Amino acid sequence: MTTTPGTPSGPSAPDASGSTSTLERARAHSPRQLAAASVGNLVEWYDWYAYSFLAVYFATQVFPESESGLTQLLNTFAIFAVGFFFRPVGGLLMGALADRIGRKPALTATILLMGAGSLLIAVLPTYASVGILSPILLVLARVIQGLSVGGEFAAATTFLVESAPPKRRGFFSSFQYVSTTIGQLLASGLAAWLASSLSEGDMQSWGWRIPFFVGAGLSLVGLVIRAGAHETLEDAEDLRTGRTARPGLFDALKHHPRESLLIVGITIAGTIAYYTWTTYLPTYAQTYADVSKADSLQAGTIALVFFALLQPVMGTISDRIGRKPLLITFAAFFVVATVPLLRLLDTSMSRLLLVQCIGMVFLAMFTSISAAVNAETIPARVRASGIGFPYSLSVALFGGTAPYVGTWFKGQGMDSAFPIYISVLCLVSLLVYVFALRETAHKPLP
């Protein structure tokens, strides 16, 4: 079926021969589509988080010895930040690929890239054996993974929401963060198990490589599952053969500037709250409230399981009452409650767990539906690239920097500044939700 830009095409309209449309075929196999999107996202985030969990072990293998082991660790985390920088690039490039030739080829490319990056880290030669080439290869691996993660969100978000039945887009959207959280839990669980099973010397010499080999293997599993998925871009065949004009790389920004800015505004509160509550809060509790490392990690793990279970619940609620009520409630809560919640922290694990779980109830109101809201904001012709670049840029600027900003405030003696910083950013998004965002839950995809 050939469509031209601006021509309406119903999601289940038959083509000229009477056969069903691309979207109707995809939605007829929605469980398979859900699995294809979720497994790839799980693998992507397993690999992404494995790096941060294991950096403390391989830092000494990749960088030359220094008087302070902290220098080597800081170098390793600097390379971790390189991955965040390349996420917007990946969102733009892989999103454009998804818009120009189809969602399925883009999903194949992202999972192959992540597997290649993970395998490169797994076989990374040490600094002692190849010198400066070792950190150079690590940078290359993180660039590949950054491109992959940025592209994965763009392609998988689009694919996931387009595969959903019209009245269940919120529910399908919620599995974006179910799979993300499971990937994070698998990475932390395997890292913790290896650390407890192997000696410190074994972990530093070869044990840290195991999770990256596992990640490369999981990428192949995800690739096989995605091979059986159905394309969701209506005119993918015509785009590939040139019968329909392909969108340009920056068409989404050029023709839909309001929607692009809207995605940035939608994302700011979600990304700062997400990275603070799911990633940085255990470290924050150790730094500001003297919670022990073991207690903070245990509380964080329990809270993540709770967080994953909340996603489908919130997604289903949004399908019934709409997206805006959940987004407004989420942002308003963090504007008002961030400062008092973080002040509740003391040295006990139970207090940290309580603070995390309370925050995650409201955070899930955003994460469960962010994929749906983004996909419902941008037209299909430029949907993947239109989501991928502004979303990943917002994450890199406001989410990926959260641990650094929180630690910097502590170093400056401004202990109360970080919670206020979170509240101010959430206020920005709250204004967007109230005054700029239209309700899209019960409307067809644009």
Side-chain angles (χ1 to χ4, degrees):
M1 181 175 71
T2 303
T3 58
T4 57
T7 303
S9 173
S12 58
D15 62 21
S17 64
S19 62
T20 57
S21 71
T22 299
L23 278 180
E24 188 174 51
R25 289 193 296 273
R27 289 168 181 168
H29 298 87
S30 54
R32 179 188 294 173
Q33 303 288 96
L34 188 59
S38 297
V39 70
N41 199 48
L42 184 156
V43 173
E44 296 277 349
W45 288 100
Y46 165 89
D47 285 337
W48 185 261
Y49 281 112
Y51 183 101
S52 61
F53 292 138
L54 294 162
V56 67
Y57 294 106
F58 64 78
T60 58
Q61 303 292 304
V62 179
F63 293 97
E65 291 186 12
S66 62
E67 293 182 4
S68 170
L70 181 61
T71 302
Q72 295 168 308
L73 187 58
L74 286 174
N75 287 334
T76 310
F77 279 119
I79 292 177
F80 179 74
V82 169
F84 273 98
F85 176 78
F86 276 90
R87 283 173 64 170
V89 180
L92 182 63
L93 295 179
M94 292 297 148
L97 180 68
D99 289 333
R100 291 168 67 87
I101 65 173
R103 320 306 191 202
K104 191 175 171 182
L107 289 173
T108 299
T110 58
I111 202 165
L112 283 174
L113 280 173
M114 183 56 78
S118 189
L119 184 61
L120 180 55
I121 297 176
V123 300
L124 192 71
T126 64
Y127 186 88
S129 61
V130 297
I132 193 65
L133 182 60
S134 182
I136 290 174
L137 289 174
L138 184 60
V139 170
L140 176 61
R142 289 305 293 172
V143 168
I144 292 171
Q145 290 188 324
L147 292 172
S148 174
V149 168
E152 174 69 17
F153 186 89
T157 291
T158 304
F159 176 84
L160 192 60
V161 177
E162 288 175 346
S163 297
K167 295 182 179 180
R168 302 191 73 195
R169 293 197 298 260
F171 174 75
F172 270 60
S173 167
S174 69
F175 281 86
Q176 186 87 22
Y177 276 89
V178 171
S179 53
T180 296
T181 306
I182 292 174
Q184 185 175 355
L185 287 168
L186 286 175
S188 62
L190 180 55
W193 179 75
L194 287 170
S196 63
S197 303
L198 300 175
S199 68
E200 185 77 10
D202 285 342
M203 275 298 294
Q204 289 191 346
S205 63
W206 56 269
W208 62 268
R209 298 180 185 273
I210 295 175
F212 294 106
F213 278 117
V214 171
L218 288 174
S219 296
L220 295 178
V221 174
L223 185 64
V224 171
I225 294 175
R226 285 187 166 178
H230 291 267
E231 179 60 63
T232 62
L233 181 60
E234 283 281 19
D235 52 352
E237 184 61 32
D238 291 334
L239 285 165
R240 284 193 288 267
T241 58
R243 289 196 297 268
T244 297
R246 294 176 178 178
L249 186 63
F250 296 101
D251 272 11
L253 295 174
K254 187 187 303 181
H255 300 300
H256 304 280
R258 180 189 180 277
E259 289 81 357
S260 299
L261 285 174
L262 191 58
I263 287 179
V264 173
I266 290 167
T267 306
I268 288 173
T271 190
I272 184 67
Y274 175 78
Y275 277 96
T276 299
W277 247 257
T278 67
T279 304
Y280 180 56
L281 196 55
T283 303
Y284 180 92
Q286 294 171 49
T287 304
Y288 286 84
D290 293 325
V291 179
S292 71
K293 184 176 181 180
D295 284 348
S296 63
L297 291 176
Q298 186 176 351
T301 301
I302 296 170
L304 281 174
V305 173
F306 175 65
F307 184 60
L309 295 174
L310 286 171
Q311 303 302 313
V313 176
M314 296 300 181
T316 300
I317 291 173
S318 81
D319 285 331
R320 294 179 179 274
I321 69 171
R323 319 291 188 221
K324 284 190 69 167
L326 268 69
L327 292 175
I328 291 170
T329 303
F330 146 72
F333 172 82
F334 279 98
V335 169
V336 174
T338 298
V339 173
L341 264 183
L342 294 183
R343 284 179 178 172
L344 279 177
L345 293 173
D346 58 20
T347 58
S348 67
M349 186 192 92
S350 59
R351 185 70 66 89
L352 171 59
L353 181 60
L354 176 65
V355 169
Q356 276 198 286
C357 288
I358 291 174
M360 283 177 171
V361 169
F362 292 89
L363 176 59
M365 295 180 184
F366 170 84
T367 54
S368 62
I369 60 173
S370 64
V373 174
N374 288 333
E376 291 164 354
T377 300
I378 298 287
R381 177 171 168 78
V382 290
R383 181 170 291 140
S385 58
I387 292 171
F389 181 71
Y391 174 86
S392 296
L393 182 63
S394 304
V395 171
L397 291 177
F398 301 105
T401 58
Y404 176 84
V405 172
T407 305
W408 183 84
F409 279 135
K410 177 66 174 177
Q412 299 299 310
M414 298 185 291
D415 290 12
S416 61
F418 185 59
I420 296 172
Y421 170 74
I422 297 171
S423 295
V424 170
L425 290 181
C426 289
L427 178 60
V428 173
S429 287
L430 177 61
L431 296 175
V432 171
Y433 301 153
V434 173
F435 297 109
L437 186 65
R438 303 183 183 98
E439 181 57 71
T440 56
H442 305 123
K443 296 178 180 179
L445 282 173

